Amino acid sequence: MVPLFGISFDGVGFSYHGGPHHLNATVSLSFVARSYNDKCNLWEPFIEPTDGFLRYQYDVNTPGSPAQLRITSTRDLNLNVSASNTNMLSQAYLSWSNITLGDELYRKETSSPTQGSILDVHQRRNYYIIPQNKLGQDIYVRTTEYRSSDITLLPSGDDRSIKVPASRDLLDSHLKGKSARLYRLMITAIIADAEINAGKGLATGEYMTAVRLYSEGSSISGVQQQSARTCAAAGESSSQITRKMTWNEMFFFKVDSEENYVLELVVLDAGRGQPVGIYSAPLKQVVQKLPS
């Protein structure tokens, strides 16, 4: 979430006089408004500093409406309209519209003309998320259920309202008497930074890190191994001999236990397609247990 507007008030004064049939109320203030530019991560002026008055008058003898509300400014009101704050307003409206749509779909999904038990409501319930694509390229989002799968195109800079089925494992385990089952462990792999020897030949300055976690007690299959990867470019302070890389990525894996698992890290040069660093070790030797 990013901020939208910032409004500052200064020198606020208030005056009130009159009676039940005739009264005047005046508020004087100085204010300035700023809008947030999410592309440059900075604030830019939207309304330049100005002095204004807010007057409320009520007179039963005034022709027409007896109550009047006036807003005046002592100087020119300078309003800065840019492509950034215009785009920000449109994105805020689309986000609000998608959230409203998600709430309507959620209410429609959970509402029922007949009254049922809490278990029926749980099995009917679905959740809605609104992911936004800021990767600079089109991606596909796939949501899987037990018997069907749905693939949604998410263009660059766009967002979609996607229905996500609720996890029923916890409730099912209690209904089936399996509340004392063994839960899987969460493994967090943090790829921070590295210093790599620069090789000869074609070099793009981009390096990819591949993380693989697999079981060594049996043959490797798609179910028994988990992998992830990320790519980054060399920093400006890199020399001709070494390159300073910063990934700052975090990946999560689930395993039954730290026994019989191997953690493997491979760093590849994107320009030559060759590995420049390989590390492999049993998971139980490198893992650090954290409290619950």
Side-chain angles (χ1 to χ4, degrees), residues 194-196 233-246:
E195 192 171 286
I196 301 172
E236 298 179 355
S237 59
S238 301
S239 62
Q240 296 181 354
I241 302 177
T242 61
R243 295 181 182 272
K244 179 68 174 181
M245 304 300 305
T246 302

Side-chain angles (χ1 to χ4, degrees), residues 226-289:
Q226 305 171 62
S227 61
R229 62 182 181 179
T230 181
C231 188
E236 298 179 355
S237 59
S238 301
S239 62
Q240 296 181 354
I241 302 177
T242 61
R243 295 181 182 272
K244 179 68 174 181
M245 304 300 305
T246 302
W247 289 282
N248 286 338
E249 291 282 354
M250 182 181 298
F251 302 102
F252 300 94
F253 307 97
K254 280 188 177 182
V255 297
D256 297 330
S257 67
E258 64 270 18
E259 300 290 338
N260 301 325
Y261 274 90
V262 177
L263 178 66
E264 182 182 79
L265 303 176
V266 180
V267 180
L268 299 173
D269 189 340
R272 298 190 300 267
Q274 298 178 356
V276 297
I278 299 177
Y279 174 80
S280 179
L283 181 62
K284 63 180 179 180
Q285 295 183 6
V286 296
V287 71
Q288 297 180 8
K289 294 184 178 180

Side-chain angles (χ1 to χ4, degrees), residues 75-245:
R75 64 183 72 176
D76 294 337
L77 183 64
N78 296 323
L79 182 66
N80 298 317
V81 180
S82 63
S84 173
N85 52 39
T86 303
N87 186 43
M88 178 265 300
L89 286 175
S90 63
Q91 287 185 354
Y93 173 76
L94 290 176
S95 177
W96 171 80
S97 178
N98 287 331
I99 292 176
T100 305
L101 177 61
D103 292 339
E104 292 178 356
L105 294 175
Y106 169 76
R107 288 193 296 267
K108 183 183 299 183
E109 190 74 19
T110 56
S111 62
S112 176
T114 59
Q115 185 177 3
S117 65
I118 186 64
L119 300 180
D120 296 336
V121 173
H122 174 81
Q123 294 179 359
R124 242 185 3 251
R125 183 176 180 180
N126 290 290
Y127 296 91
Y128 292 86
I129 62 174
I130 305 176
Q132 185 176 12
N133 182 9
K134 292 188 176 181
L135 300 178
Q137 57 184 352
D138 297 347
I139 61 175
Y140 291 90
V141 179
R142 182 179 64 181
T143 58
T144 60
E145 297 185 29
Y146 293 106
R147 296 182 179 179
S148 63
S149 62
D150 185 18
I151 299 178
T152 303
L153 173 63
L154 190 57
S156 176
D158 199 1
D159 48 29
R160 290 284 188 272
S161 178
I162 299 178
K163 182 174 70 173
V164 181
S167 176
R168 305 186 182 96
D169 294 342
L170 183 59
L171 182 62
D172 293 343
S173 63
H174 285 284
L175 294 179
K176 297 177 182 178
K178 299 180 181 180
S179 58
R181 67 173 185 172
L182 180 62
Y183 289 94
R184 306 183 72 186
L185 300 179
M186 175 74 74
I187 302 298
T188 304
I190 302 176
I191 310 299
D193 52 22
E195 192 171 286
I196 301 172
N197 293 329
K200 298 180 180 180
L202 179 62
T204 60
E206 293 187 354
Y207 292 86
M208 184 184 70
T209 299
V211 186
R212 192 161 65 104
L213 190 65
Y214 61 91
S215 175
E216 61 179 358
S218 58
S219 60
I220 299 176
S221 63
V223 178
Q224 294 165 335
Q225 75 167 346
Q226 305 171 62
S227 61
R229 62 182 181 179
T230 181
C231 188
E236 298 179 355
S237 59
S238 301
S239 62
Q240 296 181 354
I241 302 177
T242 61
R243 295 181 182 272
K244 179 68 174 181
M245 304 300 305

